Amino acid sequence: SAVISQKPSRDICQRGTSLTIQCQVDSQVTMMFWYRQQPGQSLTLIATANQGSEATYESGFVIDKFPISRPNLTFSTLTVSNMSPEDSSIYLCSVLSDSIYEQYFGPGTRLTVT
Amino acid sequence: AQSVAQPEDQVNVAEGNPLTVKCTYSVSGNPYLFWYVQYPNRGLQFLLKYITGDNLVKGSYGFEAEFNKSQTSFHLKKPSALVSDSALYFCAVSLPEGSNDYKLSFGAGTTVTVRA
């Protein structure tokens, strides 16, 4: 399985500011995903990020609010823009192992917006 | 559209007893099915998957799951639960056939508590 790290692990931010979350994987992967897990809830997919193309956003998520970069096959960033308390969640990145169709998750970034 | 249902918010069992966590799915096509476990303040850990082949799949930590196409279910099981199995369990589905779309749709999660 892939080893995935995320930075920061947690942060407390003020409303109206932006936070960029980094996701680093120890091997090259084609597909990376960003999920949100609101307190006490399940995971919801924000977007799929493939290297060399623009991210594909799910219904309810827009690029202006959650811009994503995927500069190479081992790294991606998710920015949460103009934050409000409703953005307080755990944000997780994941990668797809192409050969065995398993998806592995990073440890998550716990964001609190005050 | 694909969806997953976990009908039980909580499952409580005594250590040493069998553990079952239920999952049903709704997709139009051949699903890829997964189970993940989340321990407090930690990310999701992959347990097992069903893609094709034998309906009974075995995974990590002694867990197994049975794919039942007629009942559209993929229940997670462990013959003898441990206190350390206490965690939040998620069932997930993807439908990549014909679309190359591997995104996961998750169930609401089931909290498992194993008492000593």
Side-chain angles (χ1 to χ4, degrees), chain A residues 12-59:
Chain A
I12 301 173
C13 302
Q14 292 189 342
R15 69 170 66 214
T17 63
S18 298
L19 176 72
T20 296
I21 302 168
Q22 299 178 8
C23 179
Q24 179 78 51
V25 62
D26 68 342
S27 57
Q28 293 185 340
V29 293
T30 303
M31 286 188 176
M32 296 182 76
F33 306 87
W34 286 98
Y35 290 84
R36 182 174 72 180
Q37 186 178 20
Q38 293 178 302
Q41 303 293 317
S42 183
L43 283 81
T44 301
L45 180 66
I46 298 171
T48 302
N50 293 336
Q51 195 268 337
S53 62
E54 291 190 4
T56 303
Y57 289 83
E58 296 299 302
S59 176

Short mmCIF file of all heavy atoms in Angstrom, two decimals, chain A residues 12-59:
data_model
loop_
_atom_site.label_atom_id
_atom_site.label_comp_id
_atom_site.label_asym_id
_atom_site.label_seq_id
_atom_site.Cartn_x
_atom_site.Cartn_y
_atom_site.Cartn_z
N ILE A 12 -6.35 25.75 13.09
CA ILE A 12 -7.49 26.58 13.49
C ILE A 12 -7.35 27.88 12.73
O ILE A 12 -6.31 28.56 12.83
CB ILE A 12 -7.50 26.82 15.01
CG1 ILE A 12 -7.58 25.48 15.75
CG2 ILE A 12 -8.66 27.73 15.40
CD1 ILE A 12 -7.43 25.60 17.26
N CYS A 13 -8.36 28.22 11.97
CA CYS A 13 -8.29 29.39 11.09
C CYS A 13 -9.45 30.33 11.35
O CYS A 13 -10.51 29.91 11.82
CB CYS A 13 -8.31 28.94 9.63
SG CYS A 13 -6.98 27.81 9.16
N GLN A 14 -9.24 31.57 10.98
CA GLN A 14 -10.31 32.57 11.12
C GLN A 14 -11.14 32.60 9.85
O GLN A 14 -10.64 32.36 8.74
CB GLN A 14 -9.71 33.95 11.39
CG GLN A 14 -9.05 34.06 12.76
CD GLN A 14 -8.65 35.49 13.10
OE1 GLN A 14 -8.57 36.34 12.20
NE2 GLN A 14 -8.41 35.76 14.35
N ARG A 15 -12.40 32.90 10.02
CA ARG A 15 -13.29 33.00 8.86
C ARG A 15 -12.77 34.05 7.89
O ARG A 15 -12.17 35.04 8.29
CB ARG A 15 -14.71 33.31 9.29
CG ARG A 15 -14.94 34.70 9.85
CD ARG A 15 -16.43 34.99 10.02
NE ARG A 15 -17.04 34.12 11.03
CZ ARG A 15 -18.29 33.68 10.94
NH1 ARG A 15 -19.03 33.96 9.90
NH2 ARG A 15 -18.78 32.94 11.91
N GLY A 16 -12.98 33.76 6.61
CA GLY A 16 -12.56 34.68 5.57
C GLY A 16 -11.16 34.42 5.05
O GLY A 16 -10.78 34.95 4.01
N THR A 17 -10.39 33.59 5.76
CA THR A 17 -9.04 33.28 5.31
C THR A 17 -9.05 32.00 4.49
O THR A 17 -10.09 31.35 4.30
CB THR A 17 -8.08 33.13 6.50
OG1 THR A 17 -8.51 32.02 7.31
CG2 THR A 17 -8.06 34.39 7.33
N SER A 18 -7.88 31.62 3.97
CA SER A 18 -7.74 30.42 3.15
C SER A 18 -6.66 29.53 3.73
O SER A 18 -5.71 30.00 4.35
CB SER A 18 -7.39 30.78 1.70
OG SER A 18 -8.41 31.55 1.11
N LEU A 19 -6.80 28.25 3.51
CA LEU A 19 -5.81 27.28 3.96
C LEU A 19 -5.50 26.32 2.84
O LEU A 19 -6.42 25.80 2.18
CB LEU A 19 -6.33 26.48 5.16
CG LEU A 19 -5.41 25.36 5.66
CD1 LEU A 19 -4.20 25.96 6.35
CD2 LEU A 19 -6.15 24.41 6.60
N THR A 20 -4.23 26.06 2.61
CA THR A 20 -3.83 25.07 1.60
C THR A 20 -3.32 23.82 2.29
O THR A 20 -2.45 23.88 3.15
CB THR A 20 -2.75 25.65 0.68
OG1 THR A 20 -3.30 26.75 -0.07
CG2 THR A 20 -2.25 24.59 -0.30
N ILE A 21 -3.88 22.70 1.91
CA ILE A 21 -3.54 21.39 2.46
C ILE A 21 -2.70 20.64 1.43
O ILE A 21 -3.07 20.59 0.25
CB ILE A 21 -4.81 20.59 2.80
CG1 ILE A 21 -5.68 21.37 3.78
CG2 ILE A 21 -4.45 19.22 3.36
CD1 ILE A 21 -7.08 20.80 3.94
N GLN A 22 -1.61 20.08 1.89
CA GLN A 22 -0.73 19.35 1.00
C GLN A 22 -0.89 17.85 1.19
O GLN A 22 -1.07 17.37 2.31
CB GLN A 22 0.73 19.73 1.26
CG GLN A 22 1.04 21.20 1.04
CD GLN A 22 2.48 21.52 1.37
OE1 GLN A 22 3.30 20.63 1.63
NE2 GLN A 22 2.81 22.79 1.32
N CYS A 23 -0.78 17.12 0.12
CA CYS A 23 -0.84 15.66 0.14
C CYS A 23 0.34 15.11 -0.66
O CYS A 23 0.49 15.44 -1.84
CB CYS A 23 -2.16 15.18 -0.46
SG CYS A 23 -2.33 13.38 -0.52
N GLN A 24 1.13 14.30 0.01
CA GLN A 24 2.33 13.73 -0.61
C GLN A 24 2.24 12.21 -0.53
O GLN A 24 1.93 11.65 0.52
CB GLN A 24 3.59 14.21 0.11
CG GLN A 24 4.89 13.66 -0.43
CD GLN A 24 5.34 14.35 -1.68
OE1 GLN A 24 5.40 15.58 -1.74
NE2 GLN A 24 5.64 13.57 -2.72
N VAL A 25 2.52 11.54 -1.64
CA VAL A 25 2.49 10.06 -1.65
C VAL A 25 3.87 9.56 -2.03
O VAL A 25 4.59 10.22 -2.79
CB VAL A 25 1.38 9.55 -2.60
CG1 VAL A 25 1.64 9.97 -4.02
CG2 VAL A 25 1.22 8.06 -2.50
N ASP A 26 4.21 8.37 -1.54
CA ASP A 26 5.58 7.86 -1.71
C ASP A 26 5.80 7.12 -3.02
O ASP A 26 6.88 6.57 -3.27
CB ASP A 26 5.96 6.95 -0.54
CG ASP A 26 5.17 5.65 -0.52
OD1 ASP A 26 4.11 5.58 -1.18
OD2 ASP A 26 5.60 4.72 0.18
N SER A 27 4.80 7.10 -3.90
CA SER A 27 4.95 6.45 -5.19
C SER A 27 4.10 7.20 -6.22
O SER A 27 3.20 7.96 -5.84
CB SER A 27 4.54 4.99 -5.12
OG SER A 27 3.21 4.88 -4.67
N GLN A 28 4.37 6.99 -7.46
CA GLN A 28 3.64 7.70 -8.50
C GLN A 28 2.25 7.09 -8.68
O GLN A 28 2.13 5.87 -8.82
CB GLN A 28 4.41 7.67 -9.82
CG GLN A 28 5.71 8.46 -9.77
CD GLN A 28 6.41 8.52 -11.12
OE1 GLN A 28 6.14 7.70 -11.99
NE2 GLN A 28 7.28 9.48 -11.30
N VAL A 29 1.25 7.92 -8.70
CA VAL A 29 -0.13 7.47 -8.86
C VAL A 29 -0.84 8.35 -9.87
O VAL A 29 -0.57 9.55 -9.95
CB VAL A 29 -0.89 7.46 -7.52
CG1 VAL A 29 -0.33 6.43 -6.56
CG2 VAL A 29 -0.89 8.84 -6.88
N THR A 30 -1.75 7.75 -10.59
CA THR A 30 -2.48 8.52 -11.59
C THR A 30 -3.60 9.32 -10.95
O THR A 30 -3.75 10.51 -11.18
CB THR A 30 -3.06 7.57 -12.66
OG1 THR A 30 -2.01 6.82 -13.24
CG2 THR A 30 -3.78 8.37 -13.74
N MET A 31 -4.41 8.62 -10.15
CA MET A 31 -5.60 9.26 -9.59
C MET A 31 -5.41 9.61 -8.13
O MET A 31 -4.99 8.78 -7.32
CB MET A 31 -6.80 8.32 -9.72
CG MET A 31 -7.34 8.19 -11.12
SD MET A 31 -8.87 7.25 -11.11
CE MET A 31 -9.34 7.35 -12.82
N MET A 32 -5.75 10.84 -7.79
CA MET A 32 -5.82 11.27 -6.40
C MET A 32 -7.20 11.88 -6.17
O MET A 32 -7.82 12.42 -7.12
CB MET A 32 -4.72 12.29 -6.08
CG MET A 32 -3.32 11.73 -6.19
SD MET A 32 -2.03 12.91 -5.77
CE MET A 32 -2.14 12.93 -3.98
N PHE A 33 -7.67 11.77 -4.96
CA PHE A 33 -9.00 12.24 -4.61
C PHE A 33 -8.92 13.08 -3.33
O PHE A 33 -8.08 12.82 -2.47
CB PHE A 33 -9.95 11.07 -4.37
CG PHE A 33 -10.03 10.08 -5.50
CD1 PHE A 33 -9.13 9.03 -5.58
CD2 PHE A 33 -11.01 10.18 -6.46
CE1 PHE A 33 -9.19 8.11 -6.61
CE2 PHE A 33 -11.09 9.26 -7.50
CZ PHE A 33 -10.18 8.23 -7.58
N TRP A 34 -9.84 14.01 -3.22
CA TRP A 34 -9.98 14.79 -2.00
C TRP A 34 -11.39 14.57 -1.46
O TRP A 34 -12.39 14.74 -2.19
CB TRP A 34 -9.74 16.27 -2.26
CG TRP A 34 -8.29 16.60 -2.45
CD1 TRP A 34 -7.64 16.76 -3.64
CD2 TRP A 34 -7.32 16.81 -1.43
NE1 TRP A 34 -6.31 17.06 -3.42
CE2 TRP A 34 -6.09 17.11 -2.07
CE3 TRP A 34 -7.36 16.80 -0.03
CZ2 TRP A 34 -4.91 17.37 -1.35
CZ3 TRP A 34 -6.19 17.06 0.67
CH2 TRP A 34 -4.99 17.34 0.01
N TYR A 35 -11.46 14.23 -0.15
CA TYR A 35 -12.73 13.98 0.51
C TYR A 35 -12.86 14.93 1.70
O TYR A 35 -11.87 15.38 2.28
CB TYR A 35 -12.80 12.54 1.04
CG TYR A 35 -12.91 11.48 -0.03
CD1 TYR A 35 -11.77 10.99 -0.66
CD2 TYR A 35 -14.13 10.93 -0.37
CE1 TYR A 35 -11.85 9.99 -1.62
CE2 TYR A 35 -14.24 9.93 -1.33
CZ TYR A 35 -13.08 9.47 -1.94
OH TYR A 35 -13.17 8.49 -2.90
N ARG A 36 -14.10 15.15 2.11
CA ARG A 36 -14.39 15.91 3.31
C ARG A 36 -15.20 15.02 4.25
O ARG A 36 -16.13 14.32 3.82
CB ARG A 36 -15.19 17.16 2.97
CG ARG A 36 -15.51 18.04 4.18
CD ARG A 36 -16.16 19.32 3.74
NE ARG A 36 -17.53 19.14 3.29
CZ ARG A 36 -18.30 20.12 2.86
NH1 ARG A 36 -17.81 21.35 2.81
NH2 ARG A 36 -19.54 19.88 2.48
N GLN A 37 -14.85 15.08 5.53
CA GLN A 37 -15.60 14.35 6.55
C GLN A 37 -16.01 15.34 7.61
O GLN A 37 -15.21 15.74 8.46
CB GLN A 37 -14.77 13.22 7.15
CG GLN A 37 -15.56 12.34 8.11
CD GLN A 37 -14.74 11.19 8.66
OE1 GLN A 37 -13.51 11.20 8.65
NE2 GLN A 37 -15.42 10.16 9.14
N GLN A 38 -17.25 15.77 7.55
CA GLN A 38 -17.75 16.71 8.55
C GLN A 38 -17.96 15.99 9.87
O GLN A 38 -18.11 14.77 9.90
CB GLN A 38 -19.04 17.37 8.04
CG GLN A 38 -18.76 18.26 6.82
CD GLN A 38 -20.00 18.90 6.25
OE1 GLN A 38 -20.93 18.22 5.87
NE2 GLN A 38 -20.00 20.22 6.18
N PRO A 39 -17.96 16.73 10.98
CA PRO A 39 -18.02 16.11 12.31
C PRO A 39 -19.14 15.08 12.43
O PRO A 39 -20.31 15.39 12.16
CB PRO A 39 -18.23 17.31 13.23
CG PRO A 39 -17.61 18.46 12.51
CD PRO A 39 -17.88 18.21 11.05
N GLY A 40 -18.78 13.87 12.80
CA GLY A 40 -19.76 12.82 13.01
C GLY A 40 -20.41 12.31 11.74
O GLY A 40 -21.41 11.59 11.80
N GLN A 41 -19.85 12.64 10.60
CA GLN A 41 -20.47 12.27 9.33
C GLN A 41 -19.58 11.30 8.54
O GLN A 41 -18.45 11.00 8.94
CB GLN A 41 -20.72 13.52 8.47
CG GLN A 41 -21.58 14.57 9.14
CD GLN A 41 -23.01 14.10 9.33
OE1 GLN A 41 -23.60 13.48 8.44
NE2 GLN A 41 -23.57 14.37 10.50
N SER A 42 -20.12 10.89 7.41
CA SER A 42 -19.36 10.02 6.51
C SER A 42 -18.47 10.87 5.61
O SER A 42 -18.38 12.10 5.76
CB SER A 42 -20.33 9.20 5.68
OG SER A 42 -19.64 8.30 4.85
N LEU A 43 -17.82 10.24 4.67
CA LEU A 43 -16.94 10.94 3.75
C LEU A 43 -17.70 11.33 2.48
O LEU A 43 -18.48 10.54 1.95
CB LEU A 43 -15.76 10.05 3.35
CG LEU A 43 -14.65 9.90 4.38
CD1 LEU A 43 -15.01 8.88 5.43
CD2 LEU A 43 -13.35 9.52 3.68
N THR A 44 -17.42 12.53 2.03
CA THR A 44 -18.01 13.04 0.80
C THR A 44 -16.88 13.44 -0.14
O THR A 44 -15.98 14.18 0.25
CB THR A 44 -18.90 14.26 1.07
OG1 THR A 44 -19.93 13.89 1.99
CG2 THR A 44 -19.53 14.77 -0.21
N LEU A 45 -16.96 12.99 -1.37
CA LEU A 45 -15.93 13.32 -2.36
C LEU A 45 -16.06 14.77 -2.78
O LEU A 45 -17.15 15.22 -3.17
CB LEU A 45 -16.05 12.40 -3.57
CG LEU A 45 -15.04 12.61 -4.69
CD1 LEU A 45 -13.62 12.28 -4.20
CD2 LEU A 45 -15.40 11.77 -5.90
N ILE A 46 -14.94 15.49 -2.73
CA ILE A 46 -14.91 16.86 -3.22
C ILE A 46 -14.57 16.88 -4.71
O ILE A 46 -15.27 17.47 -5.52
CB ILE A 46 -13.88 17.71 -2.45
CG1 ILE A 46 -14.25 17.79 -0.97
CG2 ILE A 46 -13.73 19.10 -3.06
CD1 ILE A 46 -13.18 18.43 -0.10
N ALA A 47 -13.46 16.21 -5.05
CA ALA A 47 -12.99 16.25 -6.44
C ALA A 47 -11.99 15.14 -6.69
O ALA A 47 -11.38 14.60 -5.77
CB ALA A 47 -12.37 17.60 -6.76
N THR A 48 -11.85 14.83 -7.96
CA THR A 48 -10.83 13.90 -8.45
C THR A 48 -9.74 14.72 -9.13
O THR A 48 -10.04 15.58 -9.96
CB THR A 48 -11.44 12.91 -9.46
OG1 THR A 48 -12.50 12.21 -8.83
CG2 THR A 48 -10.39 11.93 -9.95
N ALA A 49 -8.49 14.43 -8.78
CA ALA A 49 -7.37 15.21 -9.31
C ALA A 49 -6.42 14.28 -10.05
O ALA A 49 -5.73 13.47 -9.44
CB ALA A 49 -6.64 15.91 -8.17
N ASN A 50 -6.41 14.41 -11.36
CA ASN A 50 -5.48 13.63 -12.17
C ASN A 50 -4.39 14.55 -12.70
O ASN A 50 -4.66 15.69 -13.10
CB ASN A 50 -6.22 12.97 -13.34
CG ASN A 50 -7.18 11.91 -12.86
OD1 ASN A 50 -7.03 11.35 -11.78
ND2 ASN A 50 -8.20 11.65 -13.65
N GLN A 51 -3.17 14.05 -12.72
CA GLN A 51 -2.05 14.86 -13.18
C GLN A 51 -2.22 15.18 -14.66
O GLN A 51 -2.56 14.31 -15.45
CB GLN A 51 -0.74 14.11 -12.94
CG GLN A 51 0.49 14.99 -13.03
CD GLN A 51 1.10 15.01 -14.42
OE1 GLN A 51 0.88 14.08 -15.19
NE2 GLN A 51 1.85 16.04 -14.73
N GLY A 52 -2.01 16.43 -15.01
CA GLY A 52 -2.08 16.85 -16.40
C GLY A 52 -3.45 17.31 -16.85
O GLY A 52 -3.62 17.67 -18.01
N SER A 53 -4.42 17.27 -15.95
CA SER A 53 -5.75 17.74 -16.32
C SER A 53 -6.37 18.49 -15.15
O SER A 53 -5.91 18.36 -14.01
CB SER A 53 -6.64 16.58 -16.75
OG SER A 53 -6.82 15.69 -15.68
N GLU A 54 -7.39 19.25 -15.43
CA GLU A 54 -8.08 19.97 -14.37
C GLU A 54 -8.84 19.00 -13.48
O GLU A 54 -9.32 17.96 -13.94
CB GLU A 54 -9.04 21.00 -14.96
CG GLU A 54 -8.34 22.16 -15.64
CD GLU A 54 -9.30 23.28 -16.00
OE1 GLU A 54 -10.48 23.18 -15.65
OE2 GLU A 54 -8.86 24.25 -16.64
N ALA A 55 -8.98 19.37 -12.25
CA ALA A 55 -9.72 18.53 -11.31
C ALA A 55 -11.20 18.48 -11.70
O ALA A 55 -11.74 19.41 -12.28
CB ALA A 55 -9.58 19.08 -9.89
N THR A 56 -11.80 17.36 -11.41
CA THR A 56 -13.23 17.16 -11.66
C THR A 56 -13.97 17.24 -10.34
O THR A 56 -13.72 16.42 -9.44
CB THR A 56 -13.48 15.79 -12.31
OG1 THR A 56 -12.73 15.68 -13.51
CG2 THR A 56 -14.96 15.61 -12.60
N TYR A 57 -14.87 18.19 -10.23
CA TYR A 57 -15.56 18.47 -8.97
C TYR A 57 -16.91 17.79 -8.92
O TYR A 57 -17.62 17.68 -9.94
CB TYR A 57 -15.72 19.98 -8.77
CG TYR A 57 -14.42 20.67 -8.47
CD1 TYR A 57 -13.57 21.04 -9.51
CD2 TYR A 57 -14.03 20.92 -7.16
CE1 TYR A 57 -12.34 21.66 -9.24
CE2 TYR A 57 -12.81 21.53 -6.88
CZ TYR A 57 -11.98 21.89 -7.92
OH TYR A 57 -10.78 22.49 -7.66
N GLU A 58 -17.27 17.35 -7.72
CA GLU A 58 -18.57 16.75 -7.49
C GLU A 58 -19.62 17.84 -7.30
O GLU A 58 -19.30 19.01 -7.02
CB GLU A 58 -18.53 15.84 -6.28
CG GLU A 58 -17.59 14.67 -6.45
CD GLU A 58 -17.99 13.77 -7.60
OE1 GLU A 58 -19.12 13.25 -7.59
OE2 GLU A 58 -17.15 13.59 -8.52
N SER A 59 -20.86 17.43 -7.43
CA SER A 59 -21.96 18.36 -7.24
C SER A 59 -21.90 18.99 -5.85
O SER A 59 -21.72 18.29 -4.86
CB SER A 59 -23.29 17.62 -7.42
OG SER A 59 -24.38 18.47 -7.16
#
